[in-house]
Amino acid sequence: MTIKCLVIFRESPYSGLRAREGLEAVMAMAAYDQQPQLVFMAEGVWQLMAQQDELERKNHSKMLAALSLYGVDQLFVHTPSLIARGLSHAALLLPCEPLDNTTLSALIAQSHKVLSF
Amino acid sequence: MNPSPARDQEGFLLDLQAWNEDLAAVIAQEVGVPLDAGHWELVYLIRSFYAEFDLSPSMRPLIKYAGQKLGPDKGKSLYFLSLFPGSPAKLLAKIAGLPKPENCL
């Protein structure tokens, strides 16, 4: 049985380990044939921006690029979070469906589980 | 060549830079998988996966990647199992000098 799981990313890619741990959780779910939906909002929208390659840490954007190979292809971005940071959809590294506050609430309401990282 | 670069308890190489083909052959011998051309192709495939995504892949994404890069005939778990019996992703990561697959469940 597939559980509708929503994973919300709310932190920037290298501020701590949450972004990475969230991604690992998603990939573990994928290994069990689950297909979680991903939402990037608040500081989490920075995970979708380019130019992450100067760091010593593992490259988060490279890992995100592997999601389609893991069968995870339902990605959403919270548009008000982008706007608040002066970012636009055009700059996103991966195709994401836009969400406003209403559609975000609806998405959360229709999910069986919601994880926040 | 340094005959014995550091490895972890399970035999995974600790320093990715220490890898070379001789070492791969030694590790392959240890795990009982002699390497022929088909094996080498997958060793380099998993290394290119790691270079592209910074991830040591589990089975499913690795097979999907193989299908994209090497064609549908090789993008099958049976093909991987025939060359690396047991747990292909884990064996390949070890031989290719990568960390243990992170989602090796």
Side-chain angles (χ1 to χ4, degrees), chain A residues 80-99:
Chain A
S81 299
L82 284 177
I83 292 168
R85 288 161 184 80
L87 303 171
S88 79
H89 284 277
L92 302 184
L93 287 170
L94 296 171
C96 293
E97 281 184 51
L99 294 174

Side-chain angles (χ1 to χ4, degrees), chain A residues 43-93:
Chain A
E43 297 298 320
V45 297
W46 292 109
Q47 297 182 34
L48 298 166
M49 296 297 134
Q51 296 179 335
Q52 302 180 9
D53 52 0
E54 300 296 323
L55 293 151
E56 291 288 310
R57 304 258 299 266
K58 288 213 175 220
N59 189 313
H60 195 72
S61 55
K62 281 166 102 176
M63 289 174 60
L64 282 177
L67 281 176
S68 69
L69 287 170
Y70 284 75
V72 176
D73 48 20
Q74 293 186 76
L75 309 182
F76 300 88
V77 63
H78 183 235
T79 302
S81 299
L82 284 177
I83 292 168
R85 288 161 184 80
L87 303 171
S88 79
H89 284 277
L92 302 184
L93 287 170

Side-chain angles (χ1 to χ4, degrees), chain B residues 27-97:
Chain B
I27 299 173
Q29 195 104 45
E30 286 173 13
V31 298
V33 183
L35 300 177
D36 69 17
H39 295 87
W40 282 113
E41 185 177 47
L42 297 187
V43 167
Y44 278 99
L45 181 84
I46 197 173
R47 285 184 64 83
S48 90
F49 189 109
Y50 190 84
E52 191 171 342
F53 301 117
D54 259 0
L55 282 168
S56 199
S58 52
M59 194 60 175
R60 174 178 161 153
L62 181 61
I63 286 165
K64 207 162 167 182
Y65 190 67
Q68 290 176 3
K69 299 286 174 180
L70 306 176
D73 288 353
K74 291 174 177 169
K76 292 195 167 82
S77 55
L78 278 180
Y79 178 70
F80 276 72
L81 283 163
S82 71
L83 292 174
F84 297 92
S87 43
K90 197 172 165 188
L91 288 171
L92 267 166
K94 190 181 281 190
I95 294 167

